[in-house]
Amino acid sequence: MTDLERRYRALLRVLPRWYRAQREEEMVATFMAHRRDPNDRELGWPGRREFWAVLALAGSTRITAQHGSPRAVVLGDVVRLAALLILLAQVPRTVASTADLAASPVFVLRLDYVYYYLVTAAYLSTTITLIALLGGRPRLARVCAAVAVATSLVAVVLSALPVAFEYGLGRPGPAVALFSSVWVAIACVVVGFTREAPAPPVRPWSLAAGCIALLTVVWMAIRDTIGNGYWLPVLGDLGSSSGWMVIVAAAVLPFVGRRLGSSVGRWALALAIVAAALVPDRLSYLQIARQIDVFDGVRGPLVATSIQAALLATVAAVLGSVGVYTYRRLPAPATGASAA
Amino acid sequence: MIQRPMSEQAFLVLTVLAAAGPKHGYAIMQAAEALNANQPALPVATLYGLLDRLVADELVEGDREEIHRGRLRRYYRVTPAGLGALAAEADRVAANVRAARRALRSTRPHTSPSGGVV
């Protein structure tokens, strides 16, 4: 065995075992037939294009849209569902931050304002990503997803600047926690919504996004007129505590499950991902909630945020266990070599 | 689900298999590279991912296996459904080419003094 073949076989180890059992010898034969130069065979490496192609194949054999093992198809469904749910969970933030931005028409070139503009741009990009996916425009969705990642990363970098503290931005930790769910969603979009992925059903997702946006607008309209009870911060944090949507979704899961039938495992896994993605944000918010004034002796924001974080973690653990149990009951791919 | 056009790579592989009968992976790579002269060869992993999808779609099927110089060669052939899909895609591409040629004939481009089209 030459060094090149050894290196290629080492690269192929990123593929699932069942796939290697079926394809490894054939792929190695084809690869080595293409690299005939004796020097290349001894000293060469697989090459950048081949490297990325093998990584892409490793992903598509584990998470796929239509073809492949039942487990890979289920994981594909889970990832797409998680992407849509997390993007949906960003809608209140998009509405709230965009409305606040629209209400302050003057552009201010100051660090804290620029940070806020970037945050708004990141959230807005996630919602346009959702709209693009529902509109059957996956390429546009990926562009918007890239914009969301870029703007959020720049915002994190800004919050890490030494002068950021003077503008009330604090450390980058909260910013990272704030965007963690966005990054998980974008990763799910990139992995799940490939060329072959089926377009999601437009009506239910549009309806859900519309209702959430409407509720956010209504809340923003009435939040200043209904007083300052100690409970207000609990609800007033609606924009960033969209993890409640997950709790509600998890609560209705058993009822929805009657209609979903065999899809319960997929929903459970997807919701577990969503809940886990939102936990860092809630944990980070505990620091802020601790500093908010006490109303009537009750630390409303602190208690509410703690409950939210605990519930999200519980939902992630319980639904994750249910989902993994269901997933493991699916037939595993055969590892024996067979003709295609 | 939205019906998307066939990818260029799938089109090439089906064309190669339709033109010359059953072929193994490396032969498909070579023929596709020759057909698509300006492009580098498909990476091996891309080719096998593509073959997996074409087999799953029943457009291509396994033909036979051989051991050549101690290495496994698995041959693939295009199915009747694959020929149908290739014909439909060829018609679609041909219609696009005709439309483009009509558009080019009707534009009557002006030529710059340096010979370029403006």
Side-chain angles (χ1 to χ4, degrees):
Chain A
M1 188 187 294
T2 65
D3 278 356
L4 178 61
E5 180 174 342
R6 196 171 292 115
R7 285 164 183 153
Y8 191 58
R9 284 186 188 274
L11 176 59
L12 292 185
R13 292 189 73 81
V14 300
L15 298 171
R17 193 187 304 166
W18 64 267
Y19 193 85
R20 272 187 286 137
Q22 290 180 6
R23 285 277 194 221
E24 182 171 351
E25 294 309 316
E26 195 184 352
M27 290 178 74
V28 168
T30 302
F31 180 76
M32 294 306 290
H34 190 57
R35 305 279 289 264
R36 291 187 172 170
D37 179 6
N39 285 334
D40 183 33
R41 286 188 164 213
E42 283 304 329
L43 304 170
W45 288 79
R48 198 178 300 165
R49 287 185 73 221
E50 191 64 41
F51 174 80
W52 289 114
V54 171
L55 284 193
L57 184 61
S60 67
T61 45
R62 288 186 174 88
I63 301 173
T64 185
Q66 293 172 35
H67 308 119
S69 72
R71 289 184 172 191
V73 172
V74 164
L75 276 189
D77 287 346
V78 166
V79 167
R80 283 188 293 280
L81 203 48
L84 293 171
L85 285 168
I86 304 178
L87 290 176
L88 205 57
Q90 312 300 328
V91 169
R93 290 169 153 168
T94 304
V95 173
S97 56
T98 308
D100 286 343
L101 191 65
S104 54
V106 182
F107 179 80
V108 182
L109 192 58
R110 213 177 68 186
L111 192 65
D112 50 348
Y113 279 81
V114 172
Y115 175 82
Y116 186 64
Y117 298 147
L118 287 167
V119 170
T120 305
Y123 287 140
L124 199 56
S125 301
T126 61
T127 299
I128 299 174
T129 303
L130 176 64
I131 294 168
L133 289 175
L134 296 179
R137 307 279 299 276
R139 191 172 291 179
L140 175 64
R142 278 194 285 274
V143 170
C144 294
V147 172
V149 170
T151 47
S152 57
L153 284 177
V154 174
V156 169
V157 169
L158 282 189
S159 69
L161 293 176
V163 294
F165 192 75
E166 295 172 23
Y167 294 93
L169 294 184
R171 299 178 302 276
V176 170
L178 186 70
F179 288 121
S180 57
S181 60
V182 171
W183 295 334
V184 172
I186 299 312
C188 290
V189 168
V190 172
V191 172
F193 285 94
T194 55
R195 177 186 165 84
E196 295 182 327
V202 177
R203 198 171 171 186
W205 289 105
S206 304
L207 193 64
C211 288
I212 290 173
L214 189 64
L215 281 173
T216 309
V217 170
V218 169
W219 173 248
M220 290 180 71
I222 64 171
R223 66 181 170 183
D224 294 331
T225 62
I226 57 175
N228 282 319
Y230 70 84
W231 50 270
L232 188 58
V234 179
L235 294 174
D237 189 31
L238 184 70
S240 61
S241 68
S242 42
W244 282 107
M245 190 198 73
V246 179
I247 304 299
V248 173
V252 299
L253 183 67
F255 303 100
V256 179
R258 289 180 185 174
R259 286 183 58 194
L260 291 174
S262 63
S263 300
V264 168
R266 299 168 201 220
W267 274 89
L269 267 182
L271 283 169
I273 293 172
V274 179
L278 292 165
V279 168
D281 176 38
R282 292 296 80 199
L283 290 178
S284 170
Y285 193 75
L286 281 175
Q287 294 290 333
I288 300 169
R290 196 179 293 169
Q291 295 162 13
I292 297 177
D293 289 342
V294 178
F295 294 92
D296 301 337
V298 180
R299 285 182 169 271
L302 185 61
V303 171
T305 309
S306 303
I307 291 172
Q308 288 171 11
L311 274 176
L312 285 170
T314 307
V315 164
V318 172
L319 293 185
S321 304
V322 171
V324 169
Y325 173 75
T326 314
Y327 174 76
R328 284 190 174 161
R329 290 179 65 192
L330 292 168
T335 53
S338 65
Chain B
M1 194 176 71
I2 297 168
Q3 189 69 32
R4 295 188 174 90
M6 185 183 289
S7 73
E8 186 184 355
Q9 293 168 339
F11 185 73
L12 282 176
V13 169
L14 286 177
T15 303
V16 164
L17 291 175
K23 280 185 180 295
H24 54 81
Y26 179 53
I28 295 171
M29 264 177 80
Q30 280 184 309
E33 193 178 0
L35 195 63
N36 202 14
N38 295 326
Q39 299 296 321
L42 282 176
V44 175
T46 303
L47 172 68
Y48 282 98
L50 184 58
L51 284 171
D52 289 338
R53 288 196 291 277
L54 292 173
V55 169
D57 282 340
E58 299 177 348
L59 304 180
V60 165
E61 61 189 3
D63 184 70
R64 66 184 189 280
E65 291 180 7
E66 284 179 2
I67 302 297
H68 178 76
R69 294 181 183 174
R71 300 226 186 245
L72 173 67
R73 278 186 171 173
R74 197 171 277 159
Y75 286 74
Y76 299 87
R77 64 167 176 258
V78 65
T79 63
L83 289 173
L86 180 62
E89 183 67 8
D91 287 345
R92 191 187 69 79
V93 173
N96 286 350
V97 170
R98 280 197 299 275
R101 289 208 168 124
R102 272 199 305 274
L104 285 170
R105 276 198 298 273
S106 64
T107 50
R108 297 173 188 277
H110 302 289
T111 306
S112 71
S114 60
V117 175
V118 291

